[in-house]
Amino acid sequence: MQVAPSVYFYPFTSMMENNCNTIIIDGPEKVIIDPGHKHLWPDLKKAIEADSLRVEDISLALHTHCHPDHIEAGEILELEYGATQAMSTIEAEFLDGPGREFFPWMGLDYPKGSISRTLNEGPLGLGDKTVNLYLAPGHTPGSLCLHWPEAKVLITGDVLFAHSVGRTDFPGGSHQDLAASIEKLAQLPDVEMILPGHGPAVIGAAKVSANYQAVKAYF
Ligand SMILES: [Zn+2]
């Protein structure tokens, strides 16, 4: 569903299994953020196409972090549709090391395809748009959040949710780093919508600021 001009949000709502929310930023360079689990891709593809978006046009699959419930379908985007897979440089190194273990733990094969583009903090040009990337460690060592000031949208992966924050008890997690990351995100101007990696969106400037107040209780 479209939540802002050029921004589409696909919340995962089933109580029966876990998957992440997916976001698409539409434009001359279409980016899918966190494509989720592979076996759920056909459902997601249907939802995307129902919004009159062509999955064949997606050129970049950007992963907020390397957990299997966010990246597993990246191989489909790459191998079937020719998209490039990207994550932060720090996260790609983590995935190549301890992060590999998440797949066997979840009974999954390590994905085919490759993270052929690594990203650092700073502006990222997407065709006619520029989004700002922020490193936000804590849930994982190299989690990325995306801020698109024009749309006043902040995409937070598993760093920050509606009234909750990301787990820090997985390998590579750090409660202290998560607190600092959320403090950093809270300073960003021009955020009227938080699109998190799980659960509902936070919509409206007042709700965004109330959400930062609410999650302070976790630290
Ligand atoms: Zn995660």
Side-chain angles (χ1 to χ4, degrees):
M1 94 182 120
Q2 189 166 16
V3 291
S6 304
V7 182
Y8 294 79
F9 183 53
Y10 299 96
F12 187 76
T13 52
S14 167
M15 302 301 276
M16 306 300 288
E17 57 187 328
N18 172 58
N19 197 33
C20 68
N21 297 331
T22 299
I23 295 129
I24 288 182
I25 301 178
D26 188 24
E29 186 172 350
K30 273 190 202 7
V31 55
I32 187 166
I33 296 147
D34 290 353
H37 272 306
K38 214 160 65 170
H39 72 282
L40 294 164
W41 168 254
D43 294 341
L44 178 59
K45 180 171 179 271
K46 255 183 240 158
I48 292 168
E49 288 173 342
D51 283 333
S52 303
L53 296 169
R54 281 163 43 93
V55 293
E56 294 81 0
D57 295 342
I58 295 170
S59 52
L60 184 66
L62 198 163
H63 306 303
T64 58
H65 64 293
C66 74
H67 286 161
D69 57 330
H70 292 252
I71 75 166
E72 197 197 8
E75 70 172 54
I76 299 174
L77 272 301
E78 178 183 337
L79 302 176
E80 290 185 26
Y81 304 110
T84 298
Q85 294 193 69
M87 62 179 60
S88 79
T89 308
I90 295 169
E91 194 74 358
E93 281 168 13
F94 178 66
L95 174 61
D96 206 27
R100 271 186 175 267
E101 298 306 320
F102 289 117
F103 289 88
W105 285 344
M106 294 185 71
L108 301 168
D109 293 330
Y110 190 77
K112 300 180 203 83
S114 60
I115 307 302
S116 55
R117 185 168 178 193
T118 53
L119 302 166
N120 295 311
E121 191 162 74
L124 172 71
L126 292 174
D128 57 350
K129 302 173 182 66
T130 301
V131 299
N132 296 320
L133 300 179
Y134 291 92
L135 275 171
H139 177 65
T140 63
S143 284
L144 274 181
C145 295
L146 278 83
H147 181 215
W148 185 21
E150 277 77 19
K152 301 190 191 304
V153 169
L154 179 65
I155 297 164
T156 55
D158 286 2
V159 174
L160 175 66
F161 305 116
H163 294 277
S164 185
V165 299
R167 291 176 62 160
T168 55
D169 57 336
F170 289 130
S174 160
H175 194 69
Q176 207 179 349
D177 287 354
L178 190 73
S181 292
I182 291 174
E183 190 57 44
K184 178 162 97 172
L185 297 178
Q187 306 306 318
L188 293 176
D190 297 325
V191 179
E192 293 185 1
M193 186 183 297
I194 293 171
L195 300 178
H198 299 275
V202 179
I203 298 173
K207 292 218 167 118
V208 166
S209 101
N211 200 59
Y212 283 117
Q213 288 303 318
V215 302
K216 276 187 182 165
Y218 287 94
F219 301 105

PDB file of all heavy atoms in Angstrom, residues 65 67 70 139 158, ligand 1:
ATOM      1  N   HIS A  65      19.546  -4.970   7.453  1.00  0.00           N
ATOM      2  CA  HIS A  65      20.528  -5.779   8.180  1.00  0.00           C
ATOM      3  C   HIS A  65      20.450  -7.213   7.672  1.00  0.00           C
ATOM      4  O   HIS A  65      19.605  -7.526   6.838  1.00  0.00           O
ATOM      5  CB  HIS A  65      20.330  -5.671   9.692  1.00  0.00           C
ATOM      6  CG  HIS A  65      19.022  -6.202  10.204  1.00  0.00           C
ATOM      7  ND1 HIS A  65      17.813  -5.622   9.910  1.00  0.00           N
ATOM      8  CD2 HIS A  65      18.727  -7.281  10.980  1.00  0.00           C
ATOM      9  CE1 HIS A  65      16.841  -6.305  10.500  1.00  0.00           C
ATOM     10  NE2 HIS A  65      17.367  -7.329  11.138  1.00  0.00           N
ATOM     11  N   HIS A  67      19.731 -10.268   8.917  1.00  0.00           N
ATOM     12  CA  HIS A  67      18.954 -11.399   9.456  1.00  0.00           C
ATOM     13  C   HIS A  67      18.125 -12.059   8.351  1.00  0.00           C
ATOM     14  O   HIS A  67      17.581 -11.378   7.467  1.00  0.00           O
ATOM     15  CB  HIS A  67      18.057 -10.926  10.609  1.00  0.00           C
ATOM     16  CG  HIS A  67      18.828 -10.663  11.868  1.00  0.00           C
ATOM     17  ND1 HIS A  67      18.344  -9.895  12.908  1.00  0.00           N
ATOM     18  CD2 HIS A  67      20.062 -11.081  12.252  1.00  0.00           C
ATOM     19  CE1 HIS A  67      19.252  -9.855  13.882  1.00  0.00           C
ATOM     20  NE2 HIS A  67      20.293 -10.560  13.510  1.00  0.00           N
ATOM     21  N   HIS A  70      14.857 -10.875   6.858  1.00  0.00           N
ATOM     22  CA  HIS A  70      14.892  -9.640   6.057  1.00  0.00           C
ATOM     23  C   HIS A  70      15.507  -9.843   4.675  1.00  0.00           C
ATOM     24  O   HIS A  70      15.093  -9.202   3.711  1.00  0.00           O
ATOM     25  CB  HIS A  70      15.669  -8.533   6.802  1.00  0.00           C
ATOM     26  CG  HIS A  70      14.958  -8.064   8.026  1.00  0.00           C
ATOM     27  ND1 HIS A  70      14.350  -6.843   8.111  1.00  0.00           N
ATOM     28  CD2 HIS A  70      14.719  -8.695   9.209  1.00  0.00           C
ATOM     29  CE1 HIS A  70      13.770  -6.730   9.303  1.00  0.00           C
ATOM     30  NE2 HIS A  70      13.985  -7.838   9.985  1.00  0.00           N
ATOM     31  N   HIS A 139      21.085  -3.663  17.217  1.00  0.00           N
ATOM     32  CA  HIS A 139      20.387  -4.921  16.908  1.00  0.00           C
ATOM     33  C   HIS A 139      21.358  -5.851  16.172  1.00  0.00           C
ATOM     34  O   HIS A 139      21.414  -7.049  16.445  1.00  0.00           O
ATOM     35  CB  HIS A 139      19.149  -4.607  16.063  1.00  0.00           C
ATOM     36  CG  HIS A 139      18.380  -5.814  15.622  1.00  0.00           C
ATOM     37  ND1 HIS A 139      17.746  -6.649  16.502  1.00  0.00           N
ATOM     38  CD2 HIS A 139      18.169  -6.333  14.381  1.00  0.00           C
ATOM     39  CE1 HIS A 139      17.164  -7.643  15.817  1.00  0.00           C
ATOM     40  NE2 HIS A 139      17.409  -7.460  14.543  1.00  0.00           N
ATOM     41  N   ASP A 158      15.174  -3.172  12.163  1.00  0.00           N
ATOM     42  CA  ASP A 158      14.849  -3.700  13.503  1.00  0.00           C
ATOM     43  C   ASP A 158      15.505  -2.886  14.608  1.00  0.00           C
ATOM     44  O   ASP A 158      15.733  -3.379  15.711  1.00  0.00           O
ATOM     45  CB  ASP A 158      15.284  -5.164  13.612  1.00  0.00           C
ATOM     46  CG  ASP A 158      14.360  -6.086  12.832  1.00  0.00           C
ATOM     47  OD1 ASP A 158      13.421  -5.584  12.191  1.00  0.00           O
ATOM     48  OD2 ASP A 158      14.587  -7.308  12.870  1.00  0.00           O
TER      49      ASP A 158
HETATM   50 ZN    ZN B   1      16.584  -8.538  12.784  1.00  0.00          ZN
END
